[in-house]
Amino acid sequence: MKVNYQVELEKILNNLTYKPKLLLHACCGICSSYVLQYLNNYFDITVLYYNPNIFPEKEYQKRLATQKEIIEKLGYSVKLLKEKYDYNDFTNISNGLENEKEGGKRCSKCYYLRLEKTAKIAKEKNYDYFCTTLSISPYKNAEKLNKIGKILEEKYGIKYLYSDFKKKDGYKKSNELAKKYNLYRQDYCGCEYS
């Protein structure tokens, strides 16, 4: 039976009795815009910008600048934590998968890489939850992302915030916010093979 991750997310949000700390992996400013707007009232959010899959580094820097820009423009008390850019992190897991179609094995390994880094940091720094903005994209499989989140939740002993942010017009709303704030808009996921 297919899980409705939006319903699962709303159950969690409706049962919160305090404002927990969330480490939110963000792939870019546009994807995080709506997610930050949606979750801001429920969580004390730190955005983790860890995306070694983005190529070239100049593109990585543009997306990082956009991430900083949307946090500033939204005006929430969101913190930003950025990990060092090391393209080798991505090439190490994607070696031999260069010809995979988008959404295939290479993408699953990339999701795992970025979510595992998020879970590790969340555990080390005593966050209550970890999550990713990736599920907002219609090109990303929320079920795969949430299954990885569950594996890492069990591995690291930190709660994963199950979600499918494209529901409730999340993708559309993120695009509207991008236009409103005149954000840089990329035309590929970031991976040189996509």
Side-chain angles (χ1 to χ4, degrees):
M1 188 165 113
K2 198 168 184 175
V3 178
N4 184 329
Y5 293 105
Q6 181 61 34
V7 170
E8 294 302 309
L9 173 61
E10 288 177 7
K11 280 183 199 172
I12 292 168
L13 299 180
N14 290 332
N15 288 308
L16 290 175
T17 56
Y18 67 105
K19 201 169 184 179
K21 291 184 353 178
L22 170 68
L23 186 61
L24 177 67
H25 166 264
C27 53
C28 67
I30 292 173
C31 288
S32 71
S33 62
Y34 167 71
V35 177
L36 290 172
Q37 191 178 63
Y38 182 55
L39 296 179
N40 183 61
N41 290 329
Y42 299 100
F43 294 95
D44 175 12
I45 303 171
T46 298
V47 169
L48 174 65
Y49 190 79
Y50 172 67
N51 298 293
N53 58 305
I54 298 175
F55 185 84
E57 187 173 355
K58 183 178 176 183
E59 178 69 17
Y60 173 90
Q61 295 300 336
K62 279 185 191 176
R63 293 184 193 200
L64 175 57
T66 303
Q67 183 62 69
K68 290 175 183 174
E69 183 181 359
I70 192 61
I71 288 171
E72 183 181 303
K73 287 182 174 180
L74 286 173
Y76 305 138
S77 60
V78 171
K79 295 170 270 320
L80 176 65
L81 178 63
K82 60 184 173 86
E83 285 292 295
K84 184 178 161 231
Y85 177 76
D86 187 348
Y87 191 61
N88 290 326
D89 287 356
F90 175 68
T91 57
N92 290 340
I93 60 102
S94 63
N95 190 22
L97 301 172
E98 297 85 353
N99 296 318
E100 283 281 316
K101 290 183 179 180
E102 191 165 349
K105 290 177 188 172
R106 183 185 62 247
C107 292
S108 292
K109 285 186 154 219
C110 185
Y111 300 160
Y112 194 94
L113 172 73
R114 294 185 282 165
L115 277 170
E116 184 167 39
K117 174 70 86 170
T118 308
K120 283 179 180 177
I121 293 171
K123 181 70 175 177
E124 288 168 12
K125 295 185 180 280
N126 296 313
Y127 283 85
D128 300 297
Y129 288 88
F130 74 103
C131 188
T132 182
T133 63
L134 287 168
S135 73
I136 200 162
S137 170
Y139 306 105
K140 304 292 186 268
N141 184 318
E143 188 170 353
K144 272 186 192 177
L145 290 163
N146 285 291
K147 283 181 179 178
I148 292 167
K150 181 176 176 38
I151 290 166
L152 295 170
E153 174 180 68
E154 291 168 2
K155 182 176 180 179
Y156 291 98
I158 184 151
K159 291 183 263 186
Y160 180 72
L161 188 64
Y162 296 90
S163 58
D164 187 353
F165 292 118
K166 68 180 123 315
K167 301 288 185 183
K168 296 178 87 171
D169 287 330
Y171 181 69
K172 179 181 175 204
K173 290 173 184 171
S174 70
N175 284 320
E176 289 167 356
L177 286 165
K179 285 178 189 166
K180 176 180 177 180
Y181 292 113
N182 196 29
L183 299 177
Y184 164 70
R185 182 160 194 82
Q186 64 271 10
D187 59 2
Y188 67 110
C189 87
C191 163
E192 71 175 308
Y193 312 119
S194 67

